Every structure is written in C-alpha cells, then in structure tokens.
C-alpha cells in the first residue's frame, strides 16, 4: 500500500456541518479579538458558539479589519483582529480553573488589514514559555495553533511578542476545558501541541462544536488513491472518555487492496520532538459470521499493538507511548493479521508534539503583590504584562528579579517606583512580599553580620554605621542607634517608613531593619565609595574628583531630592541634605542617605508645617530657622550649600575667614569680582568655565534668603544637566573665566541673614 506524507494539517477550513442541538458552553472562552464592545456578544450561526470581545482581557493593542477582498473566503470571528503597535510583549490574562486540562487555540488571519501587504511574523508565548513562532509569511493567509495544557495557577497568560519589524496580530482565542485524565503525558511532562486532528472521509467539511462537545476541530482526510472510505448511518456509542464525535467515527479508511497494510506518514517539526498518537476506532461494517477484522499496529517499529479488533459500533481509542521519529518522518502502519478476513481500518486520529515548558512562573505571591500594586496605582507601563520576571529579556520595567535559586521560581526583589504617580501609604501587600526589600533581623544576626561591630564606616544621624555581611556575601551598611538618643526611636521609625515608601535609584536602599528592645538598626545597601564630603576633602585619597564627576554626582543627588519633593505623595522634605549624606556606589552613582529627619509636607492649600527646627549647622535654611516654616525649599537651600562646596571645596563654616559662612564668603568674593578664587584650586584649569559659572549662579539662587526666590528641584536638575552638557561639549582646555564677560551675575544674594549654628 502506498505510503503517504502529510505535512502539518492546519485547521483552516471554516465550513461547518449542519447544526445539531446546542450544547453546554460552560467554561468556554470564545474571543473574537478586536471586536468592538458594541457588537459583543454574538452567536456564530454555524456553530452556535457565543463569541465575545477581547477588550476586557487585554489593555493594549488596537482593532483592525481584514481587507474586504477577504470577506468572501472568511467569516467571523476572523474578520477583525487585534494588532499591537506598542510594546515588545502584549498579553491576554484569562481566568481559568487551575489544574484543569484545557484545549487552547488561537487563529491568525492577516488579510492585509493595514494595506501594507506584509505578512507578520512574531512569537506566541503561554505565560513565561514560548509556544510557537507564528510566521504568516509561510502560510496561506491564515494560520492557527492549538494545544492541550494544564495551567498550574488560576490565570493564564497568552502573550504576543514582537520579534522583528512586523506587528503581532491575533484574530481569535478559544479555550475549552477537558477532563484531566484523558490527554497528555501526565503532570510534569510538558504540554501537547496539536499536530493534526483528522477523521477519514472524502469531503471538505470540518467537524467541530456542537458535534464535538469539546469543540475540537476535526479535519477530513482522504488520500487520492489506494484507499477506500466506508461509512455507516448507524449510531456509534462514544461514551468513553474521549467523546470523539459520532460523525467522525461514522466514516473510516481501509486499503483498497485487502492484502496491503494501511500506512500513514508525516513529518514532525522540529524533527527532534517526541510524538504522541491517539487512534480512534470503531467497527462500522456489519461483519458476517465467517468474517473477522484484526490487525497489528506499528509505530516506528517500537510501539506494537497486536491483534487488535475494533469493537462493533463502539468507540475504542488506543494511545501509543511517545516516539521520536527518525529523521522527523513518522510512519504508522496497520497490518492485517493472518487470521483476519478484512483489511485494517481507522476512523480518526490525533497527533501531538510534546512541548516542554521549562520556565517556571515567578513566585505566585510576588506576582499577586505586584499585580495588586499595578491595579491600585493604575500603572500603565506597556511592559507590565505577562510574567514579571520571565523570560528575563522581558522583565517588567522597574523590577529586578532574583533567578539564583534554579530549583525554585524567580522572585521579585526590587520594585523601583521612581517617576510614578503614587499616592498614599505603602500597600499592605507590599509588605507581604517577604523577599522584597525588607527582611527582619534579630540583634544576634546583626552582631554576627558585623562581626561584632568590627568595622566602623562612619557616624550617621543618631548612630554609628558599621560594615556588615549579609549571608556572608552581600555587603551592607548597618546603622545602629545609640542607646542615649532620645529622639532616636521616632527618627528610626520615620526612616523605616519613608524608606519603605520611596524607592529611587538616587536614594539609598533599605535592605532590612532590626527592632528588638533597645536595639534599633537599619540595614542599607553598602556604598563602597563613601560620601561626597570625604572625596572633596581628599580623605579617600586618589586623584582629585574632576568637574565632570562632581556635576554627575550633583545631578544624581538632585534627582533623588526631586523625587522626594515631587515623586512622592505626600511630598517629603529630607531636612538633612549635606555632602556627607551623598553616598557613592561602586560606579560613583550618587545616592542620598539619612532620612531620619524627613517629614512629609503638605501641598495644596496648607502652606507649611510648624516643626521643631532640625538639620545640620551650616546647611540649615535661615528662613526655616527663623520662622519654623518647613517647605521643600529648605532642602533647596541645603542643596545650594552642597553645590557651593562642590564648586569651591571650602569649609562651610570657617571662623578664621573674612566671612565665616560659605554663602557670605562667596557673596563677598563675587562682589570683589574675584571669581577665579572661588573655584576649587585642585581643579586647576580643567573645566568649562561656562559650566562652572552656571553652576555657581544656580547655587547662589538656591541659597537665596527668600525661599520663594529659590528654584524648585526640577529646575535645579535641569540647570545642572545644562552644566553637564557644557562640560561635555568642551574641547581641550578651558576658556579664561575673566574673558567670559558676557555672562552676567544676575543673582540676588544677601549677606544680612546669616545662618546661625545651633
Ligand atoms: C477574573 O477573576 C478575578 C478574580 O476572581 C475577577 O476579579 C475578574 O473579574 C475575573 N475576570 C473575568 C474577565 O472574568
Ligand atoms: C491570500 O490572499 C491573497 C490576497 O487576497 C490572495 O491573492 C491569495 O489567493 C490568498 N491565498 C490563499 C491561499 O487563500
Ligand atoms: C463524508 O463524505 C461524504 C461525501 O462527500 C459526505 O456526503 C458526508 O457528509 C461526509 N461525512 C462527514 C461526517 O463529513
Ligand atoms: C446511508 O443513508 C443514505 C441515504 O439514506 C444512503 O444513500 C446510504 O447508502 C446509507 N449508507 C449506508 C452505509 O447504509
Ligand atoms: C494486492 O496486493 C497484492 C500484494 O502486493 C498483489 O499481489 C495483488 O495483485 C494486489 N491486488 C490488486 C487487485 O491489485
Ligand atoms: C463467508 O460466507 C459467505 C456466505 O455466507 C460467503 O459468500 C463468503 O465467501 C464467505 N467468506 C469467506 C471469506 O469465507
Ligand atoms: C515491533 O515489531 C517489530 C516488527 O515486527 C519488531 O521487530 C519489534 O521488536 C517490535 N517491538 C516491540 C516493542 O514489540
Ligand atoms: C524509532 O526508530 C528508530 C529506527 O528504527 C530507532 O532508532 C529509534 O530509537 C526509534 N525511536 C523511538 C522513540 O522509538
Ligand atoms: C502622572 O499623572 C499625570 C497626570 O495625571 C500623567 O499625565 C502622567 O502621565 C502620569 N505619569 C505616569 C508615569 O504615570
Ligand atoms: C539570607 O539571610 C536571611 C536571614 O538570615 C535569610 O532569610 C535568607 O533566606 C538568606 N538568603 C539567601 C539567598 O541565602
Ligand atoms: C483646601 O482647604 C479646604 C478648606 O479647609 C478643604 O476643604 C480642601 O479639601 C483643601 N484642598 C486640598 C486640595 O487640600
Ligand atoms: C518648577 O519650577 C519651574 C519654573 O522654574 C516650573 O515651570 C515648574 O512647574 C516647577 N515645578 C514644580 C513641580 O513646581
């Protein structure tokens, strides 16, 4: 008997046999993707299936419609589609019942919806795992995928991932629940991707719902020669677990020449994939007393079933163990036994490839927490779709994930909510994310981490900072509050709460804290390059910090401060901005530290908070000191002092100087016209004078005695970035400062209000 080579049978014939009694559609999800809400739902007249719009299940993408030319060939739900002009990964999130087996199908009809006549190709993912590459270029305008999968959580994500220039599209998604114990290699062995599902008949019509109560689509198959189709009008019992449609069982193929075997061959793609076969049989001929039908079944010569006789008018399904077909060519052979008077027969058959889904989803409680945050804050980042951590290439923006533990799911470890409109307290579910940010520590652990408080890093507000090792590897800075600090506990609490609320690349991260009786400790990320003050004073050794580096540090710390002022609601005032609170990580990225004094300040119609004046002498805003009015402009003042330090590298307060306070002194020098002597002599001539000049002008405006005349931090950030641009565009040496007469000193600084040290 001639052997046949089938390629993949893609289900693409949409004609349906006549309607029978409508069936229960419980658990079906039938989405006509891109359908407008006004037209949803509708009943497909051929199948009786109720299709709905996909608009509530995905936040992104746009509706498109195939060119009218395709209307003749295709019907709903394939006429409209959703396409995705934005983002790399766009995902549907569907509610399913966990640990239930589903048929999951999707169809893609391009139909020149965009008039570009360019067939899209892209990847389809199921959760974190790649399902299939969709290449409409190779297909006959339309393609479909279909798999059997058992979700392990109650939501299922189907994602379209852009892989090239073309935009992903999708026409329909159909999800049907099935009994758990029927298909598949069993739990933990991957899912099944449908290769083909066919019945044997010489016709053109698919069989699907309602004839197949699970809405599997069965395509007719009949080779041109050497086969014969037999059929029956009698009813066939299909009460087994497979529920193969009676219509599909009612016809069968046999070889025309009774002595020859029935052979079916096909290719697998990729050739290395294991194949699962489900063979559906029923005897549909009335056999006489002296007739028998009996045959052996060979699949790759290894899965032999001997002397099989299909039961009379009753479905019997044989499943074969998975087989790797040599060279990707599979051959199924049904061979008549010696005693058989009739040739072999087959009614219907399904072939699947096993697809492995190796990537585990991110820890479910982390996913739940992050999704809560997304919903609460209505975050609309285009990347916040699909699994937060997997695949690593598509990790959500602003998240960092930990993949170290290969055997367990990835965890979300950092959530950076900078530049988002967040209001209110940190949500409770954030605190539930144990791996995120905050760990609780005992005093004994802290003692051990710091090796009995061996290495002092410095003195912070209200306590000493020690070096420690977390789990013996990760370096941390641990601030222990001194027992005598009366204000300590309040400050400590303020700092923990603030650090829990704010996360920004230019703010020092809290790693954890210890709150055990008298022992209060804060664990921060370790900043190996110390603080800005140490660098300016030369205490850290090394070469002189260049003007460019100083500017970058200034921009970074200004951004941290800007975030406190405008990125948080209610906004925060740091209240202790100073050069020793600007810390530097291994890449010299600046982060603002020491939030112990921070307070939130009201916006809108309340104008100030009356507080006990707190801060560091020299950096303290004189207006705040005199009035007790706390506004964010007090931080601007302190930041201006930091800028003056960065420019001049002079002490803030020097009693031996003509003018004690740095603001007075620089004002005095400017009035004398002695600009050059303001600038840190260590810089030599190695700077763009326009850049330094602009920074100086900015610094002086920040320390304006009137808070109303100080710029806000957004302005400061912008101006500093301009300074950096000047410096970056500098070619060769600097221009002589004195010759830059075109830049006017336009600031208005006073020397009458002198900040007093407390
Ligand atoms: C999915 O389930 C969640 C939680 O049970 C529910 O809030 C949501 O409305 C459901 N979505 C749909 C489309 O049914
Ligand atoms: C695909 O669409 C084009 C444009 O309408 C048409 O010319 C072509 O025949 C279609 N191909 C198939 C296989 O339907
Ligand atoms: C099988 O094919 C015959 C001939 O084309 C057709 O009349 C019949 O309806 C088909 N049966 C099924 C179940 O498709
Ligand atoms: C089934 O019924 C049709 C029409 O009644 C008839 O032409 C056909 O021969 C029958 N087929 C069998 C196998 O009895
Ligand atoms: C059927 O196949 C056998 C074995 O190949 C052959 O001898 C016989 O001639 C064939 N019969 C017909 C009718 O072709
Ligand atoms: C079976 O019996 C019938 C008569 O009842 C006869 O015509 C036929 O040839 C027999 N078939 C075989 C294979 O012996
Ligand atoms: C299957 O049948 C082939 C051919 O008869 C034989 O060589 C092979 O050993 C059989 N395999 C099994 C697993 O029975
Ligand atoms: C399939 O058959 C080939 C050649 O007979 C053999 O090498 C291979 O191991 C078989 N694979 C399986 C999975 O049975
Ligand atoms: C913040 O809110 C404003 C106004 O509601 C909006 O224009 C802006 O896009 C939002 N920013 C982000 C990052 O969501
Ligand atoms: C690090 O140490 C903490 C506290 O001792 C522990 O809870 C955590 O699991 C450890 N993490 C790793 C990655 O070992
Ligand atoms: C401003 O004050 C009024 C009266 O005290 C109050 O009703 C209103 O909510 C306040 N507006 C804001 C934005 O706080
Ligand atoms: C900051 O000041 C600039 C003018 O210098 C103004 O345009 C901007 O709206 C201010 N930003 C905030 C958040 O107040």
């Amino acid at each position: 008997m001639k052997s046949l080579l089938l390629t993949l049978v893609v289900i693409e014939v949409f004609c349906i046999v006549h309607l029978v009694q409508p069936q229960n559609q419980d658990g079906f999800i039938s989405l006509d993707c891109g359908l407008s809400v006004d037209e949803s739902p509708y009943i497909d007249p051929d199948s009786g299936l109720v299709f709905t719009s996909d608009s509530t299940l995905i936040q992104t993408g746009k509706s498109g419609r195939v060119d009218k030319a395709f209307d003749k060939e295709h019907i709903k739900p394939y006429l409209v589609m959703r396409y995705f002009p934005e983002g790399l990964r766009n995902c549907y999130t569907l509610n399913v019942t966990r640990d239930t087996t589903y048929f999951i199908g999707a169809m893609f009809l391009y139909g020149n919806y965009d008039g570009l006549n360019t067939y899209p190709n892209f990847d389809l993912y199921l959760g974190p795992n790649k399902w299939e590459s969709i290449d409409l270029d190779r297909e006959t305008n339309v393609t479909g995928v279909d798999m059997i999968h058992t979700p392990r959580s109650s939501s299922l994500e189907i994602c379209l991932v852009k892989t090239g220039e073309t935009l992903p599209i999708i026409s329909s998604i159909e999800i049907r629940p099935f009994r758990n114990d029927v298909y598949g290699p069993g739990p933990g062995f991957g899912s099944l991707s449908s290769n083909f599902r066919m019945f044997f008949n010489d016709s053109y019509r698919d069989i699907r719902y309602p004839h197949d109560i699970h809405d599997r689509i069965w395509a007719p198959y009949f080779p041109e020669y050497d086969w014969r189709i037999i059929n029956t009008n009698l009813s066939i019992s299909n009460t087994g677990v497979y529920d193969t449609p009676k219509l599909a069982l009612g016809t069968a193929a046999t070889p025309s020449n009774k002595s020859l075997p029935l052979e079916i061959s096909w290719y697998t793609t990729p050739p290395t994939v294991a194949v699962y076969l489900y063979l559906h049989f029923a005897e549909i001929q009335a056999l006489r007393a002296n007739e028998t039908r009996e045959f052996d079944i060979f699949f790759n010569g290894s899965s032999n079933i001997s002397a099989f006789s299909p039961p009379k008018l009753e479905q019997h399904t044989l499943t074969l163990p998975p087989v790797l077909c040599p060279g990707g060519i599979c051959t199924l052979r049904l061979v008549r036994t010696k005693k058989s008077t009739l040739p072999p027969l087959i009614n219907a058959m399904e072939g699947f490839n096993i697809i492995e889904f190796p990537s585990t989803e991110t820890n479910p409680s982390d996913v739940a927490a992050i999704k809560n945050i997304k919903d609460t804050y209505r975050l609309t980042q285009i990347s916040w779709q699909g699994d937060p951590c997997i695949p690593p290439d598509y990790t959500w923006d602003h998240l960092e994930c930990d993949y170290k533990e290969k055997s367990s799911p990835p965890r979300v470890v950092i959530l950076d909510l900078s530049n988002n409109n967040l209001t209110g307290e940190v949500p409770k579910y954030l605190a539930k994310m144990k791996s995120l940010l905050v760990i609780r520590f005992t005093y004994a652990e802290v003692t051990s981490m710091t090796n009995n408080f061996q290495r002092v890093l410095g003195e912070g507000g209200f306590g000493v900072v020690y070096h420690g090792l977390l789990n013996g590897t990760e370096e941390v800075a641990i601030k222990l509050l001194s027992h005598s600090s009366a204000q300590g506990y309040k400050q400590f609490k303020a700092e923990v709460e603030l650090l829990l609320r704010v996360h920004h690349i230019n703010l020092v991260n809290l790693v954890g804290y210890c709150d055990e009786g008298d022992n209060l400790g804060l664990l921060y990320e370790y900043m190996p390059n110390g603080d800005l003050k140490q660098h300016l004073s030369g205490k850290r050794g090394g070469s002189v910090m260049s003007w460019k580096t100083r500017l970058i540090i200034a921009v970074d710390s200004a951004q941290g401060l800007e975030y406190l002022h405008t990125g948080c609601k209610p906004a925060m005032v740091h209240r202790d901005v100073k050069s020793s609170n600007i810390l530097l990580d291994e890449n010299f990225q600046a982060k603002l530290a020491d939030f112990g004094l921070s307070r939130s300040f009201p916006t809108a119609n309340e104008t100030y908070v009356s507080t006990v004046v707190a801060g560091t002498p020299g950096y303290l805003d004189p207006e705040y000191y005199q009035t007790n009015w706390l506004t964010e402009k007090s931080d601007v003042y302190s930041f201006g002092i930091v800028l003056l330090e960065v420019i001049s590298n002079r002490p803030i307060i020097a009693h031996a100087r003509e003018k004690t306070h740095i603001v007075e002194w620089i004002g005095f020098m400017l009035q004398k016209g002695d600009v050059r002597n303001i600038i840190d002599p260590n810089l030599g001539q190695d700077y763009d004078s326009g850049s330094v000049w602009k920074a100086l002008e900015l610094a002086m405006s920040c320390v304006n005695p009137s808070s109303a005349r100080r710029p806000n931090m957004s302005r400061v950030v912008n101006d500093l970035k301009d300074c950096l641009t000047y410096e970056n565009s500098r070619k060769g040496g600097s221009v002589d400062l004195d010759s830059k007469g075109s830049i006017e000193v336009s600031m208005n600084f006073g020397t009458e209000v002198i900040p007093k040290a407390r």
Side-chain angles (χ1 to χ4, degrees):
M1 181 103 251
K2 263 241 149 57
S3 103
L4 327 153
L5 277 180
L6 313 181
T7 49
L8 291 187
V9 175
V10 175
I11 300 136
E12 60 191 38
V13 181
F14 303 123
C15 327
I16 310 291
V17 290
H18 65 277
L19 256 185
V20 297
Q21 205 59 23
Q23 307 271 342
N24 184 6
Q25 294 179 32
D26 275 358
F28 280 27
I29 300 176
S30 310
L31 301 178
D32 184 343
C33 303
L35 182 72
S36 85
V37 183
D38 310 342
E39 294 174 62
S40 172
Y42 67 84
I43 297 176
D44 174 38
D46 289 322
S47 64
L49 287 169
V50 178
F51 278 88
T52 57
S53 163
D54 60 342
S55 60
T56 57
L57 303 172
I58 190 159
Q59 269 82 50
T60 50
K62 294 189 163 142
S63 290
R65 194 197 184 285
V66 297
D67 190 287
K68 286 265 186 287
F70 288 81
D71 286 12
K72 291 190 293 298
E73 304 276 334
H74 302 280
I75 54 166
K76 271 176 155 183
Y78 309 108
L79 298 183
V80 293
M81 83 284 288
R82 185 171 290 272
Y83 66 98
F84 300 94
E86 280 183 289
L88 273 185
R89 178 172 64 165
N90 290 272
C91 299
Y92 284 87
T93 306
L94 306 162
N95 284 351
V96 290
T97 310
R98 56 173 293 180
D99 298 326
T100 297
T101 297
Y102 285 90
F103 279 90
I104 303 170
M107 294 291 299
F108 310 87
L109 170 63
Y110 165 64
N112 198 21
Y113 76 95
D114 53 4
L116 299 174
N117 241 321
T118 307
Y119 287 77
N121 54 75
F122 51 90
D123 283 348
L124 192 66
Y125 275 72
L126 196 67
N129 288 286
K130 187 166 155 190
W131 173 359
E132 187 92 58
S133 283
I134 305 295
D135 187 353
L136 278 160
D137 210 12
R138 287 182 320 186
E139 303 294 341
T140 50
N141 291 323
V142 64
T143 189
V145 290
D146 176 356
M147 74 147 82
I148 296 174
H149 175 70
T150 308
R152 300 296 170 210
S153 78
S154 59
S155 88
L156 180 76
E157 282 179 317
I158 296 179
C159 302
L160 294 99
V161 175
K162 192 164 184 264
T163 52
E165 291 302 306
T166 52
L167 303 181
I169 62 157
I170 187 162
S171 305
S172 73
I173 296 177
E174 293 170 65
I175 295 185
R176 318 294 183 216
F178 206 85
R179 291 177 53 143
N180 283 354
D181 49 355
V182 179
Y183 284 101
F189 289 94
S191 299
L192 294 180
S193 167
S194 304
N195 211 325
F196 52 80
R197 178 175 299 111
M198 60 202 189
F199 69 107
F200 295 92
N201 195 26
D202 185 9
S203 60
Y204 298 97
R205 298 195 150 193
D206 286 353
I207 295 174
R208 66 177 294 184
Y209 189 85
H211 302 284
D212 185 319
I213 59 169
H214 304 289
D215 194 30
R216 287 161 297 188
I217 300 174
W218 302 79
Y221 182 72
F222 179 66
E224 280 127 53
Y225 35 64
D226 292 345
W227 283 26
R228 200 161 65 82
I229 293 295
I230 55 175
N231 59 54
T232 184
N233 292 335
L234 297 171
S235 177
I236 299 163
S237 161
N238 64 348
T239 51
V241 291
Y242 288 90
D243 300 322
T244 307
K246 292 183 179 196
L247 278 177
L249 294 169
T251 71
T254 76
S256 321
N257 182 336
K258 282 185 191 175
S259 359
L260 293 181
L262 191 73
E263 264 186 18
I264 305 169
S265 300
W266 68 96
Y267 294 111
T268 56
T269 45
T272 50
V273 78
V275 173
Y276 256 85
L277 277 191
Y278 296 80
L279 309 175
H280 306 286
F281 298 99
E283 180 56 75
I284 56 171
Q285 262 182 348
L287 303 194
R288 293 197 194 93
N290 61 358
E291 285 179 327
T292 50
R293 190 191 309 276
E294 191 183 80
F295 48 93
D296 296 334
I297 300 170
F298 301 90
F299 187 41
N300 191 31
S302 64
S303 319
N304 303 350
I305 294 169
S306 309
F308 174 71
S309 288
K312 185 181 171 191
L313 297 178
E314 193 182 318
Q315 171 178 5
H316 189 95
T317 297
L318 294 176
T319 67
L320 305 182
V323 163
L324 280 171
C325 301
I329 301 174
C330 304
T331 302
L332 176 74
R333 296 175 76 229
L334 310 182
V335 184
R336 189 170 73 136
T337 60
K338 289 209 170 71
K339 93 178 228 210
S340 180
T341 61
L342 294 170
L345 133 174
I346 185 165
N347 308 62
M349 115 187 213
E350 294 168 275
F352 298 92
N353 295 344
I354 294 185
I355 52 178
E356 299 292 347
F357 283 158
S359 302
T360 47
E361 291 168 15
T362 302
N363 180 296
S365 59
D366 289 1
V367 174
I370 287 287
K371 288 195 169 161
N372 264 325
I373 290 168
K374 182 183 171 189
D375 293 346
T376 306
Y377 293 129
R378 297 173 198 280
L379 299 179
T380 52
Q381 268 88 359
I382 201 101
S383 77
W384 280 40
Q385 301 189 55
D387 190 281
C389 299
I390 304 279
D393 285 352
Y394 302 111
T395 302
W396 290 6
D397 290 346
H398 308 299
L399 287 196
E400 273 182 36
C401 299
D402 180 357
Y403 308 95
K404 281 191 221 88
E405 286 291 320
K406 290 270 180 288
S407 57
S408 56
R411 305 221 48 168
V412 177
V413 288
I414 294 179
L415 167 64
D416 175 3
L417 296 173
S418 331
N419 304 317
N420 278 297
N421 297 332
L422 304 190
T423 51
E425 289 300 307
V426 70
K428 285 206 183 62
Y429 31 78
L430 238 189
K432 278 195 207 143
M433 292 180 69
K434 292 219 172 57
S435 70
L436 181 75
L437 205 63
V438 175
I439 311 152
R440 268 156 237 280
F441 289 102
T442 66
Y443 189 69
E445 281 174 315
V446 170
T447 310
S448 126
M449 270 185 250
T450 57
N451 201 2
N452 213 9
F453 308 104
Q454 206 176 37
R455 191 171 144 204
V456 175
L457 294 174
E459 292 261 348
F462 307 99
V464 180
V465 183
Y466 298 92
H467 180 267
L469 281 180
L470 189 56
N471 297 353
T473 52
E474 197 186 329
E475 290 185 290
V476 288
I478 304 178
K479 180 161 82 179
L480 277 195
L481 297 192
S482 52
H483 291 257
S484 57
S485 170
Q487 273 188 296
Y489 192 70
K490 260 172 78 183
Q491 247 91 39
F492 170 82
K493 282 302 212 193
E495 184 150 0
V496 170
E497 273 163 30
L498 180 64
L499 282 168
L500 279 175
R501 270 186 51 200
V502 300
H503 306 286
H504 188 278
I505 188 120
N506 300 121
L507 299 175
V508 168
N509 262 318
L510 187 68
V511 179
Y513 65 94
C514 161
D515 181 358
E516 203 182 73
D518 273 354
N519 299 305
L520 305 175
L522 290 168
L523 279 70
Y524 306 93
E525 61 181 316
Y526 175 62
M527 302 291 279
N529 277 314
D531 66 58
L532 176 61
K533 193 180 188 78
Q534 293 168 339
H535 282 276
L536 289 175
S537 66
K539 266 194 194 147
R540 308 247 347 158
S543 53
V544 173
M545 202 176 241
S546 72
W547 176 241
K548 181 174 169 178
T549 306
R550 294 181 199 203
L551 274 178
I552 292 171
I553 290 168
V555 169
D556 282 348
S557 38
Q559 280 172 342
L561 205 48
E562 183 198 16
Y563 175 69
L564 287 181
H565 291 175
T566 59
C568 308
K569 284 185 187 132
M572 306 297 306
V573 188
H574 185 288
R575 295 213 295 171
D576 202 12
V577 175
K578 54 184 175 185
S579 51
S580 58
N581 271 344
I582 294 171
L583 305 187
L584 301 170
D585 75 4
E586 65 277 17
N587 302 317
F588 278 82
Q589 179 157 60
K591 294 177 193 247
L592 216 45
D594 226 338
F595 297 79
L597 294 175
S598 303
R599 297 286 287 247
S600 27
F601 73 93
T603 46
N605 51 6
E606 283 177 75
T607 49
Y608 73 97
V609 203
S610 177
T611 57
V612 177
V613 174
T616 300
Y619 290 91
L620 193 58
D621 171 14
E623 188 182 278
Y624 165 49
Y625 181 71
Q626 285 176 346
T627 62
N628 277 12
W629 284 20
L630 178 64
T631 72
E632 84 281 14
K633 291 293 182 66
S634 297
D635 280 347
V636 176
Y637 179 90
S638 308
F639 190 77
I641 301 288
V642 171
L643 281 182
L644 292 178
E645 277 185 282
V646 162
I647 295 163
S648 70
N649 198 9
R650 304 297 154 112
I652 315 263
I653 295 169
H655 292 287
R657 202 160 51 191
E658 306 95 307
K659 301 285 178 188
T660 307
H661 193 268
I662 193 167
V663 173
E664 293 174 271
W665 180 74
I666 289 184
F668 171 74
M669 297 297 276
L670 282 171
Q671 274 174 343
K672 280 206 316 187
D674 192 357
V675 176
R676 189 191 294 278
N677 277 327
I678 292 173
I679 296 163
D680 180 2
N682 294 328
L683 287 173
Q685 295 280 309
D686 195 11
Y687 51 80
D688 174 77
S689 53
S691 169
V692 175
W693 191 244
K694 190 169 171 58
L696 182 58
E697 193 177 15
L698 177 66
M700 290 309 280
S701 69
C702 289
V703 298
N704 193 301
S706 159
S707 64
R709 305 184 70 157
R710 297 173 200 154
N712 59 31
M713 281 313 294
S714 312
R715 175 73 193 278
V716 172
V717 169
N718 280 339
D719 284 9
L720 284 172
K721 283 183 177 165
D722 287 348
C723 295
L724 194 54
T725 310
Y726 291 158
E727 175 65 15
N728 282 338
S729 59
R730 171 163 68 103
K731 294 194 185 67
S734 71
V735 183
D736 192 286
L737 249 195
D738 300 327
S739 71
K740 277 232 154 180
S742 60
I743 302 173
E744 284 295 315
V745 192
S746 62
M747 52 223 160
N748 169 17
F749 52 89
T751 49
E752 65 279 8
V753 183
I754 301 160
K756 300 179 190 87
R758 287 205 304 150

